Amino acid sequence: MRIGLIGSGFIGGSVARLALAQGHEVILSNSRTPDTLADLVADLGPGASAALAADAADAGEIIVVTVPFKNYTAVPVEPLAGKIVIDTNNYYFERDGHFSAIDDGTQTPSGALAEHLPTSRIVKAFNNIQWEQLLHDGLPAGSPNRRALSIAGDDAEAKAAVTALIDSFGYDVVDAGGLVEGRRFDRDKPAYGPRATADELREMLARG
Ligand SMILES: NC(=O)c1ccc[n+]([C@@H]2O[C@H](COP(=O)([O-])OP(=O)(O)OC[C@H]3O[C@@H](n4cnc5c(N)ncnc54)[C@H](OP(=O)(O)O)[C@@H]3O)[C@@H](O)[C@H]2O)c1
């Protein structure tokens, strides 16, 4: 599979590394030109390349949007039409500035991205695990105490594809429900951050 990355920082670089280990191709991008990602591309090795964000979006079959939340409106829209988009973004008002609809609870961070990408099939994932843990906590399917990660989204087929990807990275997957249920594992919720098995994560999501 070709996986496009819109954002290639801590979490984008980690997802890219895990995807390459599973034999996927990754197309990285950032807010600048592809040459600025040459070191990361070299470090990731065969299967990795860099492009402008719109071209990475165009090339990918699954696209990971992993930028500071405040920049979500710069994510290219047209090349992502109809595509599976993984949203890792978190809203931190200290970094992103205040978004009143999120502050007052009428909007979620993933809902905001979904408004910006109205025909994309968005799955919220990877927002509640720290990048170093994501790289190292994965275990083969069936391992005792395997860590679980939560997803949320409105498109069942997209969620199935993302579930398979996350499982291949070494994690069980717990479906929290529709995209709006992603609020159950947003910042400051019980399911934001701690290492948890699937059963533990379900309990945390219910409390969130
Ligand atoms: N760090 C974590 O452990 C972690 C875990 C889970 C979720 N998250 C969330 O995931 C998102 C990314 O976090 P991060 O830690 O990976 O951030 P980061 O290391 O600061 O990387 C951000 C990346 O986004 C790129 N970017 C910024 N604006 C862009 C734009 N308009 N178009 C394309 N690319 C753009 C940056 O490129 P430039 O260098 O060109 O600016 C950079 O490659 C955030 O929302 C964060 O809250 C982070």
Side-chain angles (χ1 to χ4, degrees):
M1 194 158 54
R2 285 187 311 279
I3 300 182
L5 280 298
I6 309 297
S8 302
F10 288 114
I11 201 82
S14 302
V15 171
R17 201 173 292 278
L18 291 168
L20 285 164
Q22 294 306 313
H24 301 296
E25 192 184 324
V26 299
I27 304 99
L28 308 166
S29 72
N30 60 14
S31 68
R32 295 167 284 154
T33 48
D35 56 293
T36 61
L37 289 164
D39 288 350
L40 180 58
V41 167
D43 184 48
L44 289 172
S49 61
L52 292 172
D55 294 334
D58 196 47
E61 293 158 86
I62 290 183
I63 290 85
V64 186
V65 170
T66 180
V67 300
F69 176 78
K70 66 181 174 196
N71 292 355
Y72 78 90
T73 54
V75 172
V77 178
E78 191 277 328
L80 295 179
K83 289 195 179 178
I84 298 173
V85 169
I86 299 178
D87 172 22
T88 83
N89 299 341
N90 288 307
Y91 168 57
Y92 277 87
F93 65 82
E94 302 91 335
R95 175 192 65 194
D96 299 315
H98 280 280
F99 287 68
S100 58
I102 298 178
D103 290 338
D104 69 19
T106 55
Q107 177 67 288
T108 63
S110 291
L113 183 67
E115 273 186 18
H116 177 64
L117 303 174
T119 67
S120 299
R121 303 151 76 195
I122 296 177
V123 180
K124 184 181 183 75
F126 301 124
N127 73 298
N128 56 345
I129 181 168
Q130 198 263 343
W131 67 276
E132 280 182 299
Q133 295 176 11
L134 178 61
L135 276 178
H136 301 300
D137 277 5
L139 291 171
S143 301
N145 292 318
R146 193 187 199 209
R147 186 168 180 169
L149 297 179
S150 40
I151 62 167
D154 297 329
D155 184 303
E157 204 179 272
K159 286 202 284 195
V162 174
T163 296
L165 187 68
I166 296 174
D167 180 66
S168 76
F169 288 177
Y171 298 90
D172 287 341
V173 176
V174 175
D175 182 357
L179 195 62
V180 73
E181 303 299 337
R183 69 174 74 212
R184 294 180 181 276
F185 53 100
D186 270 332
R187 178 188 181 183
D188 296 337
K189 296 295 173 63
Y192 187 72
R195 190 192 193 291
T197 63
D199 284 344
E200 291 165 345
L201 187 54
R202 276 186 208 98
E203 184 275 327
M204 291 172 186
L205 290 166
R207 280 193 285 127

